[in-house]
Amino acid sequence: MDKYVPADIETKWQKVWEEERSFEAPDPETPGGADRSLKSYVLEMLPYPSGTLHMGHVKNYTMGDVIARFRARNGYTIFHPMGYDAFGLPAENAAIKTGLPPAELTKINTDNIKQQLHRLGVSIDWSRELATCDPEYYRWTQYFFLKFYERGLAYRKEAAVNWCPSCATVLANEQVVQGACERCGSAVETRNLAQWFLKITEYAERLLEDFELLQSWPERVITMQRNWIGRSEGAEVIFRVDDMDLDIPVFTTRPDTLFGATFFLLAPEHDLVIRLVEGTEFENPVHDYVTSSRLKPMVDRAMAEREKTGEFTGRYATNPVNGEKIPIWVSDYVLMEYGTGAIMAVPAHDQRDFEFARKFGIEVRVVVSGELESGEAVGVDAGATLETAFDEEGKMVNSGRFDGMAIREAGQAITEWLNGESLGQAAVSYRLRDWLVSRQRYWGAPIPIIYCDECGTVPVPEDQLPVLLPEVEDYAPKGKSPLATNEDFVNAICPKCGGPGRRETDTMDTFVDSSWYFLRYTDPRNDREPFDQAIVNYWMPVDQYIGGVEHAILHLMYARFFTKVLYDLDLVAFKEPFNNLFTQGMIYYQGAKMSKSKGNVVNPDEHVENYGADTLRLYILFMGPPELDVEWQDQGIEGTFRFLGRVWRLINEIIEKVEPTVFSDFANADEQAMKLVRKTNQTISKFTADVAERFRFNTAISAVMELVNEAYLAKDGLLASEEGRGVLRFTAESIVKLLDPFAPHVCAELWQRLGHNRLWNESWPQADERYLVDETYELVVQVNGKVRGRLRASRSAGKDELLAAALASEQVAKYTTGKNIVKEIVVPGRLVNLVVK
RNA sequence: GCGGGCGUGGCGGAAUGGUAGACGCGCCAGCCUUAGGAGCUGGUAGGGUUCUCCCUGUGGAGGUUCAAAUCCUCUCGCCCGCACCA
């Protein structure tokens, strides 16, 4: 018998798959009317080609491949494409370091990744490969930008935006993590810049509503998105500024507490701040306050524990419910981006307002009376003595005719009253902000806009797309896009008037590129439109999407938004792109996330070289449940390699010693042979359920390990008889068929040696019901819940029979003699429990 | 602070109310021996032991149940997300 040499086997079969184009999905013949029930679009998040694939990628792509191969064998037509999220900062930063243009560097990296995927044996339809930095791709990214623009969903405005000094570009809110840049970790600053935004806020409600369509998404991801969107119901209430012809609306979730508003606050960025203090004695201090809070880094401003600061404007606002005049202050705990940038402050019932009021000596007026958690009563007069804001349920007080109502009731009543008086109305507010998509960097899709002195902002006509990304001398970020220095690029003719114009020099956030790539796969070479609608509607939505949870908000929310806009544009017929989502856990090593800086990176290539792709694939899914974080163990992979060697030897020995024609039905098999027949069928059944229904690959694999172990033990005995040899062959073929999605190379080889042809075209094995269960089983007998005996029982035995057998057993008698049996529980197939006293 | 998750041998993990520790790693022993870091077989939660069993045991404390790793309450620890969002 030859030794198991993965390298030879793997290159052999990879070549076959390539030459026979085994995994190419056919274009649907009549896509519009075709039966879609047996298509399966299996997609893993596309890799960012920053260098080589790491273990996280291997896990991601192996899992996708197992699902794709498994479903293919179960009768599905598989759509399993691959591409590269090829625009983006790392390539550009590396280019600056090495001097190599980003395009070249990216090409090197994508070639490399393709090689790696190839060596892993992932069943990808390579005919659909795409890179988002290819002009044939970003042409359509630009096209969509223009479609958004036409609809008023892309707009440019000046705003206080997140600026990463190290990346030298602005960032979307989603890309700022605790005040720091999501990519590089530097503290994010605030700058006022004119930037392009996509109006994701307009879709906030639908992004929430359609969670209903995403039943199988991980709860965690939905919760994260829901929190991020941050929907709050409340009211918008108009306050009039005293002595000025000015109305300022505020948003509140607690209209019931309106009578308790004892002051009014504006965000420092609010336009009206300047007007309120203009020419008054308050002008200078307020100006100073506004200036200093603008300089404050985002990180500091976002700290809830910070002491409250503020300045009085000298102005008063009228509370619409009681006509009371309350002082208007400016404070930086009010955020311009949320609500209206102004709030009514109710110190008795809001902790932040409470802190502010105590610090500046403002009245705290209780309008909800109730009980603190400690049981202490909060009465009408508690304002002066409260130690913390009271935000529990309670009854209205100090609130005129609303007194005595429960707070919810009062909130509604007050809102209705405001509505009647045209002083306010019910309102909904979201935490979600519009998506800032312009980036002051080179390596991205240029925003297809021309500025003309005569015509203003003019979109580039569709027939002039793509706006090609030109080569530049210097990619180094200077706070402006490197494209701005390229005169040939910047100078353009206004498409409207033919006069001189200037191109927008910012490029798009790479998350725009990845918000629609899964659509392009369906029709990747279309040069007339982004995709054929009938084709995209055939393959989409993605049936199984797989990726890391780090994209729970970013990519997954953007892609959902994009899909909804395309739905509204009648370009696609579905509202959600990803029907099912699986978020894989991370792989740790030496107790930490793998990272170059920590020097604890496990290189997949090395393991492919040492043990082969099959071993690596098998191990990475054997390590634990795929959704959990797991720790890489160097010795673990050796065990998996040993297992494949064991399979190799077992099956080759069977091939050598069992004539291929021997394959009887198992009617004449003896008990020893039947045992293995049953075990094989049980394994088929368990394995299939684990893979198909639960993605529990680790337990599926261990089930095959058990079968292999049993086969070894039974082997020598079974080789002696013809029936036995038939059973061995059946078991051998089953093992190969089951392991195939995980270890496709070695299984393809063994299948061929077993005298067959192409394993990946075989159908999935079915367990034979007749051989699934043993006629007898081990019945556990418990006394008072403790296991006291085990006996063989017949499957067909009824409760009475089982009970009788249990009572008759000697082992049990020890614990029952001299005692009363109070209760008997009989669970056929499992146990008998006797309760004695 | 709010929301979510997790806690089981030396290690990764099985067990979705019914035999805790499947499977794998590691370790121990035996066999084989073209002597090998290979392969095959057996053992391996802790404690006790007459070697057959007995006791204890799933972060901790209570509870529900004939029966709890699993369900409920409280509590401790770790991880993740959000965090002055009115």
Side-chain angles (χ1 to χ4, degrees):
Chain A
M1 188 193 302
D2 54 341
K3 253 182 88 183
Y4 172 46
V5 184
D8 299 348
I9 299 166
E10 290 178 3
T11 32
K12 170 182 168 183
W13 290 100
Q14 283 159 14
K15 227 174 125 194
V16 171
W17 293 327
E18 195 177 3
E19 280 167 4
E20 298 183 0
R21 306 165 82 183
S22 311
F23 308 117
E24 288 186 15
D27 275 325
E29 278 169 31
T30 48
D35 175 18
R36 293 170 65 252
S37 65
L38 281 179
K39 69 95 185 173
S40 191
Y41 188 164
V42 179
L43 183 67
E44 304 97 54
M45 290 181 186
L46 84 180
Y48 182 86
S50 60
T52 56
L53 296 184
H54 53 71
M55 280 301 175
H57 289 118
V58 174
K59 182 170 177 180
N60 195 185
Y61 298 126
T62 302
M63 211 190 311
D65 196 37
V66 166
I67 293 166
R69 286 177 182 266
F70 177 78
R71 291 194 181 166
R73 303 267 308 281
N74 279 281
Y76 288 89
T77 305
I78 299 302
F79 192 79
H80 191 206
M82 183 58 64
Y84 313 100
D85 186 18
F87 269 139
L89 280 187
E92 189 173 343
N93 291 340
I96 293 164
K97 232 182 249 171
T98 61
L100 223 53
E104 281 180 39
L105 199 73
T106 302
K107 182 78 176 76
I108 293 170
N109 287 342
T110 53
D111 285 350
N112 207 338
I113 286 174
K114 186 174 181 177
Q115 264 313 304
Q116 285 182 296
L117 287 168
H118 205 76
R119 278 200 301 269
L120 281 170
V122 186
S123 63
I124 289 164
D125 177 352
W126 286 109
S127 71
R128 297 170 184 274
E129 186 182 11
L130 62 80
T132 57
C133 66
D134 184 338
E136 279 312 302
Y137 181 86
Y138 70 69
R139 167 184 178 181
W140 302 110
T141 307
Q142 292 172 335
Y143 168 89
F144 287 129
F145 182 89
L146 294 175
K147 289 288 174 199
F148 276 54
Y149 182 76
E150 275 171 30
R151 286 215 140 208
L153 293 171
Y155 66 92
R156 195 167 118 106
K157 75 162 183 200
E158 187 173 315
V161 295
N162 305 299
W163 173 266
C164 172
S166 153
C167 299
T169 184
V170 297
L171 301 171
N173 266 300
E174 289 79 13
Q175 289 153 33
V176 179
V177 179
Q178 292 184 7
C181 172
E182 179 234 357
R183 274 207 186 282
C184 70
S186 2
V188 168
E189 299 167 3
T190 308
R191 287 198 181 180
N192 273 300
L193 292 168
Q195 297 292 324
W196 283 96
F197 292 85
L198 298 186
K199 230 182 215 170
I200 192 170
T201 51
E202 195 154 293
Y203 283 75
E205 199 59 48
R206 283 167 62 190
L207 286 168
L208 289 171
E209 275 169 17
D210 288 346
F211 282 138
E212 183 189 314
L213 304 172
L214 305 178
Q215 299 291 333
S216 82
W217 275 39
E219 191 53 42
R220 179 157 76 125
V221 172
I222 290 182
T223 306
M224 280 166 74
Q225 287 200 12
R226 187 166 270 136
N227 291 342
W228 188 264
I229 294 167
R231 182 182 198 275
S232 304
E233 284 184 16
E236 197 166 283
V237 184
I238 294 160
F239 281 68
R240 172 151 280 254
V241 180
D242 218 20
D243 299 325
M244 288 179 90
D245 185 23
L246 260 184
D247 286 335
I248 311 180
V250 301
F251 174 76
T252 176
T253 53
R254 294 290 307 274
D256 52 303
T257 63
L258 208 40
F259 284 84
T262 53
F263 59 106
F264 189 97
L265 286 174
L266 290 171
E269 295 85 357
H270 203 291
D271 329 334
L272 293 179
V273 172
I274 309 296
R275 273 180 69 189
L276 294 184
V277 296
E278 216 164 20
T280 71
E281 56 180 303
F282 299 95
E283 187 165 8
N284 285 336
V286 167
H287 260 245
D288 290 350
Y289 183 78
V290 168
T291 317
S292 78
S293 50
R294 282 200 174 182
L295 287 174
K296 234 171 253 168
M298 289 281 221
V299 217
D300 294 353
R301 252 189 88 170
M303 294 236 291
E305 307 82 36
R306 222 174 92 240
E307 198 180 332
K308 298 284 176 287
T309 59
E311 277 293 328
F312 180 44
T313 63
R315 297 280 178 182
Y316 291 82
T318 304
N319 186 339
V321 291
N322 56 10
E324 194 177 350
K325 296 191 190 326
I326 56 175
I328 303 176
W329 289 63
V330 184
S331 176
D332 65 5
Y333 79 85
V334 180
L335 306 174
M336 191 57 223
E337 309 89 65
Y338 185 75
T340 61
I343 63 165
M344 63 164 199
V346 185
H349 305 293
D350 180 288
Q351 185 57 26
R352 298 153 298 176
D353 299 346
F354 179 83
E355 287 164 21
F356 191 94
R358 280 289 186 257
K359 176 160 178 193
F360 294 104
I362 302 171
E363 185 198 348
V364 175
R365 185 191 306 158
V366 171
V367 292
V368 179
S369 117
E371 231 175 55
L372 286 168
E373 232 172 83
S374 60
E376 198 185 329
V378 177
V380 189
D381 304 320
T385 52
L386 272 181
E387 279 172 24
T388 167
F390 174 65
D391 52 12
E392 312 283 321
E393 302 278 325
K395 287 246 184 301
M396 305 301 299
V397 292
N398 274 335
S399 298
R401 65 187 179 289
F402 302 101
D403 280 358
M405 285 184 177
I407 58 173
R408 272 165 229 287
E409 199 191 336
Q412 276 191 4
I414 292 176
T415 307
E416 270 166 38
W417 179 83
L418 286 166
N419 203 18
E421 302 289 315
S422 298
L423 291 168
Q425 70 272 318
V428 174
S429 190
Y430 300 92
R431 207 188 77 108
L432 181 71
R433 316 268 195 267
D434 278 340
W435 176 12
L436 199 174
V437 295
S438 36
R439 296 289 179 273
Q440 290 71 48
R441 294 296 298 254
Y442 169 74
W443 191 232
I447 293 174
I449 291 288
I450 291 170
Y451 301 105
C452 167
D453 287 341
E454 299 296 318
C455 315
T457 304
V458 183
V460 173
E462 280 170 25
D463 60 13
Q464 288 177 29
L465 296 181
V467 175
L468 283 172
L469 186 64
E471 289 187 15
V472 296
E473 301 276 298
D474 183 7
Y475 315 106
K478 296 173 186 69
K480 256 166 89 181
S481 165
L483 294 180
T485 59
N486 184 321
E487 286 298 311
D488 291 340
F489 177 80
V490 173
N491 293 320
I493 294 161
C494 170
K496 232 183 198 168
C497 69
R502 298 178 61 78
R503 277 189 199 282
E504 168 65 63
T505 58
D506 283 354
T507 54
M508 276 185 254
D509 181 5
T510 53
F511 281 105
V512 180
D513 307 326
S514 57
S515 289
W516 72 281
Y517 75 101
F518 43 89
L519 305 173
R520 181 69 179 172
Y521 281 143
T522 64
D523 194 11
R525 310 289 171 244
N526 195 329
D527 56 6
R528 301 172 319 281
E529 51 189 352
F531 41 74
D532 179 274
Q533 285 187 48
I535 295 178
V536 84
N537 289 332
Y538 178 81
W539 290 116
M540 284 292 291
V542 171
D543 295 278
Q544 186 61 58
Y545 200 30
I546 309 161
V549 76
E550 65 274 16
H551 290 111
I553 295 173
L554 288 155
H555 163 60
L556 289 169
M557 195 178 66
Y558 293 148
R560 293 183 62 216
F561 162 56
F562 232 80
T563 302
K564 288 178 195 309
V565 175
L566 300 197
Y567 175 84
D568 289 349
L569 287 165
D570 283 328
L571 291 173
V572 300
F574 42 89
K575 294 178 181 174
E576 285 289 340
F578 313 125
N579 270 354
N580 297 290
L581 172 71
F582 190 94
T583 49
Q584 76 197 58
M586 278 192 304
I587 299 173
Y588 285 76
Y589 188 51
Q590 295 165 348
K593 237 193 232 188
M594 290 189 204
S595 79
K596 278 179 196 153
S597 58
K598 285 193 203 98
N600 64 339
V601 176
V602 182
N603 180 1
D605 290 345
E606 262 171 47
H607 290 287
V608 171
E609 203 143 303
N610 288 342
Y611 306 106
D614 285 334
T615 294
L616 179 60
R617 292 167 55 114
L618 196 62
Y619 175 58
I620 214 155
L621 293 180
F622 180 62
M623 283 163 77
E627 70 276 16
L628 298 184
D629 294 344
V630 284
E631 171 115 4
W632 179 271
Q633 304 214 312
D634 289 309
Q635 281 163 330
I637 191 168
E638 284 184 41
T640 313
F641 180 65
R642 274 204 294 267
F643 167 68
L644 283 182
R646 221 164 126 77
V647 170
W648 177 262
R649 287 185 300 275
L650 173 72
I651 302 208
N652 275 300
E653 190 184 341
I654 292 171
I655 291 166
E656 278 169 25
K657 296 185 181 164
V658 178
E659 20 339 358
T661 46
V662 170
F663 211 117
S664 56
D665 67 6
F666 306 120
N668 299 324
D670 60 11
E671 180 48 30
Q672 192 201 11
M674 277 312 296
K675 226 180 122 191
L676 189 59
V677 171
R678 276 195 301 271
K679 183 68 182 176
T680 304
N681 277 293
Q682 286 160 2
T683 305
I684 291 169
S685 168
K686 175 174 170 55
F687 190 99
T688 307
D690 280 356
V691 172
E693 291 157 29
R694 311 196 300 160
F695 295 160
R696 296 297 284 249
F697 308 119
N698 54 331
T699 52
I701 295 165
S702 69
V704 181
M705 288 175 169
E706 285 183 51
L707 178 60
V708 169
N709 290 345
E710 281 213 20
Y712 261 93
L713 293 177
K715 184 189 61 187
D716 291 341
L718 295 186
L719 279 171
S721 74
E722 194 180 328
E723 281 75 24
R725 288 196 296 276
V727 169
L728 279 176
R729 203 175 164 84
F730 163 66
T731 299
E733 297 201 345
S734 300
I735 290 169
V736 172
K737 280 180 168 178
L738 291 177
L739 280 179
D740 172 56
F742 294 85
H745 309 88
V746 68
C747 290
E749 177 68 21
L750 289 170
W751 190 248
Q752 194 182 48
R753 291 182 180 208
L754 279 159
H756 305 297
N757 195 13
R758 301 299 192 228
L759 176 54
W760 56 94
N761 292 330
E762 295 288 326
S763 64
W764 193 251
Q766 301 294 318
D768 187 330
E769 294 289 334
R770 290 171 301 167
Y771 304 126
L772 221 38
V773 286
D774 202 342
E775 312 75 88
T776 67
Y777 63 95
E778 188 182 66
L779 179 77
V780 166
V781 184
Q782 295 181 332
V783 178
N784 289 340
K786 289 194 173 164
V787 182
R788 296 303 185 190
R790 297 147 206 268
L791 31 103
R792 297 297 318 170
S794 159
R795 275 286 157 207
S796 55
K799 283 194 176 191
D800 295 344
E801 218 174 314
L802 294 173
L803 182 60
L807 290 169
S809 114
E810 276 173 52
Q811 302 151 293
V812 176
K814 271 197 277 183
Y815 298 92
T816 53
T817 41
K819 303 213 169 110
N820 284 332
I821 296 176
V822 194
K823 197 168 181 181
E824 299 132 350
I825 292 101
V826 183
V827 184
R830 291 227 176 255
L831 51 70
V832 171
N833 188 10
L834 305 171
V835 185
V836 303
K837 253 185 194 163

